[in-house]
Amino acid sequence: MDSVGTGRARVSRLFAAYAAVSLVGVLALGGVLLQTSRQQADQRGLLQAGDEATLIGSTGISPLLDGKPLALGLSADERAALSRHVNAVVADGRVLRLRLRGLDGRAVYSSAGGKLDVPVDDEALDAASGEDVARLTTFDGDTVPGGGVRAVEAYQPLSAGPDGRRVGVLEVYLPYDRIATDIAKAQRLQTTVLGVGLLVLWLLLLAVTGSVTRRLRRQVAANAFLAMHDALTGMPNRAQFTEDARSAVAAATAELSTVVALVDLDRFKEVNDTLGHAIGDRLLVTLGARLTAAVREGDLVARLGGDEFGIVLPGLRNLGEAAEVLGRVRSALAEPLVIDDLPLSVEASVGFASAPSDGTDLDVLLAEADVAMYVAKRRHLGVVHHTPQHDRYDATRLRLVAELGDAINRGELVLHYQPKTDLRTGRVTAVEALVRWQHPERGLLFPDSFLPAVEQTDLVEPLTRWVLRTATLALADLDPTGTLVVAVNVSARSLGRGDFAEEVLAVLADTGTDPGRVILEITETALLADPTRAAVTLGALTAAGVRISIDDFGAGQTSLGYLADLPVSELKIDKAFVLAMHSEPRNAAIVRSVIDLGHNLGFSVTAEGVETSEALADLTAANCDLVQGYYLGRPVPLELIKAQLVDRAVVATRD
């Protein structure tokens, strides 16, 4: 079952469990309420009997009395009137027995068969003082076969006469079965209403929960979709591509190969810059649909980011089939289209590698396809199958790329540090962090052997994070005074990510590093890859205090107008000019011009590649700010650079 199905099944199980648990809760609540209602039934019966006794006393007895205290006795007329009324209510079954008592509690009148020589009850005395008393009892339980009948024995204060004075006590026995029948009827109605109400409550709970569950299911499905699909085009994203491509590569055989291809749109950046990102996004959606329609059923097309797409073609008998499908893909992309009445035409460069003939590791195949794609773009070849002759990365370097991810986790990478010296003070004010790989089999590897290939893969992201974290953590050891600055190189791929600035600042916050002690060195090529995004990213970093340096300045094509608008604090003159400045006057002139340009724009200027005393003297004369090179110090491990910094500080103090 896929992740969406698993999520939906989990939500359904949770809903069923909630329905069962809530039903148990509702039934338990109903049981408690019914039990409480039954327990209160007798109390309600006594209250009803008390009301009936009050009614009998006020409407049937009190009007027959003349208002004298009953303890003085009844007149013949009163007794006769009482007998007629009482015998009538006893005869029709409303009353079982009725007595009248004086305020002293002694009986002065009783219905037929009732005795007057009865004890003075406490209840009679309570009623004489104004309290209503009612209790359940058994009427004639000692004399009636079967134990008598259930009754309510009620005592009520009795008032009579014009002034309504209290004259005695009414003692009356009422049949309880009739009262109980009325209460049972009311209780059945109450039980029905309660049951219906609880059922409606449960159904409402289920309805609300069902609505939430449906929304949750949709959200689960949406989250699962977004986790594996591109939000703009709806196509599979890099995560889905990697997962499916790995499976397809693993299933490849000599008879049925799997091709991994990368597609890059030519001059797409010009569309974004000229027509805006909204048109660019619509163009990507349209081209994504064309890509999907151009491949075979069962092939995978994914948007990997920006204007780059990935394709997996499984089950191919030969490379000719791959070339045919990819050629069809390229032709489909090249067909003219119109967006907002604007005619557009986009071409694409495609590079591919085949498993198992070109390798069985997906990372290696992607690196090979990437190289082939750039060959296709550079030479305008359209579709190119990777071969070792196409690029400068041999198989050994590609294997190193595949190993680098584990190397980071195993702690095989180390940083060496090269000092940057202030020509005015002679002090080392900064160090550049340069990565090295202590390979368990090949020994210490320099960046040239693996970094160019890594910069074309996603591995450059964890590598950049590792270098930045390690370098900033080392600052406390290198310079406890808090003035030394560390420089870290950033690739074009990293700079093009929308969240790069946030990630850098998060690392600095995590290591407790002052952003002002960090310089990010970025090449002109990286700046030109996406100038708009680069400006936004560099602006966010500069606002936080991070310094920006343009590395290898002079080797690229940065326009002066664009340079003036960038939040840059330093220019680093490309070392090719510095190395040749003593022997080639034109290079010396270029170096002096860059120094003047940087100062006029408010930048500091660093010259790298200083390897002779003559070069140092020329740069000093040209008023260069900082110098870096083998003449002043080679890149060395952390402990050695610490010792050098201490020695230079001592010399500077003596000077």
Side-chain angles (χ1 to χ4, degrees), residues 203-466:
L203 292 176
L204 287 175
L205 289 174
L206 288 188
V208 172
T209 306
S211 175
V212 173
T213 301
R214 285 191 296 273
R215 290 199 297 271
L216 184 58
R217 283 175 177 164
R218 290 194 294 268
Q219 189 62 49
V220 167
N223 290 343
F225 182 85
L226 290 176
M228 290 296 182
H229 290 78
D230 175 55
L232 175 64
T233 64
M235 301 171 69
N237 61 9
R238 184 178 292 273
Q240 183 72 64
F241 177 82
T242 302
E243 181 179 314
D244 291 349
R246 237 179 255 289
S247 300
V249 168
T253 64
E255 293 77 20
L256 294 175
S257 61
T258 294
V259 160
V260 177
L262 296 178
V263 180
D264 188 77
L265 304 180
D266 298 338
R267 297 184 302 280
F268 177 75
K269 190 176 81 65
E270 297 176 11
V271 175
N272 263 347
D273 293 345
T274 305
L275 304 178
H277 288 279
I279 297 294
D281 287 347
R282 291 173 61 185
L283 178 61
L284 287 174
V285 172
T286 301
L287 296 181
R290 287 186 177 184
L291 274 171
T292 304
V295 298
R296 308 166 304 164
E297 185 177 355
D299 295 338
L300 172 69
V301 180
R303 184 187 178 208
L304 305 184
D307 61 344
E308 186 179 25
F309 297 86
I311 300 177
V312 177
L313 306 175
L316 297 174
R317 291 185 294 273
N318 53 65
L319 293 180
E321 289 186 56
E324 178 185 353
V325 175
L326 295 176
R328 187 166 66 244
V329 164
R330 188 168 181 271
S331 297
L333 294 177
E335 292 180 6
L337 70 158
V338 177
I339 297 179
D340 284 354
D341 298 327
L342 294 172
L344 298 174
S345 179
V346 178
E347 293 186 347
S349 299
V350 183
F352 71 94
S354 177
S357 58
D358 296 328
T360 56
D361 185 282
L362 178 61
D363 292 331
V364 172
L365 292 170
L366 286 173
E368 292 174 339
D370 204 29
V371 169
M373 181 190 69
Y374 279 103
V375 170
K377 186 181 288 291
R378 255 191 332 266
R379 301 182 185 176
H380 307 287
L381 297 176
V383 179
V384 171
H385 173 224
H386 174 269
T387 65
Q389 292 76 26
H390 280 151
D391 75 297
R392 57 192 174 126
Y393 308 124
D394 58 22
T396 299
R397 293 185 181 184
L398 291 174
R399 280 196 295 272
L400 286 175
V401 172
E403 295 174 7
L404 182 63
D406 291 335
I408 295 174
N409 296 329
R410 289 194 297 263
E412 294 176 4
L413 300 184
V414 296
L415 288 184
H416 285 192
Y417 299 88
Q418 187 174 28
K420 296 170 67 174
T421 303
D422 189 324
L423 281 177
R424 287 180 290 274
T425 65
R427 289 181 176 275
V428 175
T429 59
V431 292
E432 182 177 359
L434 301 166
V435 67
R436 306 286 188 264
W437 185 352
Q438 190 64 55
H439 197 281
E441 299 175 0
R442 305 177 190 276
L444 187 65
L445 300 179
F446 286 80
D448 288 346
S449 62
F450 62 90
L451 198 54
V454 168
E455 286 180 337
Q456 304 206 28
T457 71
D458 286 341
L459 284 173
V460 72
E461 307 303 340
L463 177 61
T464 301
R465 284 194 297 272
W466 181 88

Side-chain angles (χ1 to χ4, degrees), residues 66-102:
D66 60 7
K68 295 184 298 183
L70 295 182
L72 299 178
L74 296 172
S75 67
D77 291 340
E78 288 176 327
R79 192 175 295 276
L82 284 171
S83 295
R84 286 193 299 272
H85 176 71
V86 171
N87 290 339
V89 296
V90 170
D92 65 14
R94 286 183 292 164
V95 174
L96 297 175
R97 177 183 294 159
L98 185 146
R99 285 196 183 99
L100 297 181
R101 295 175 181 260

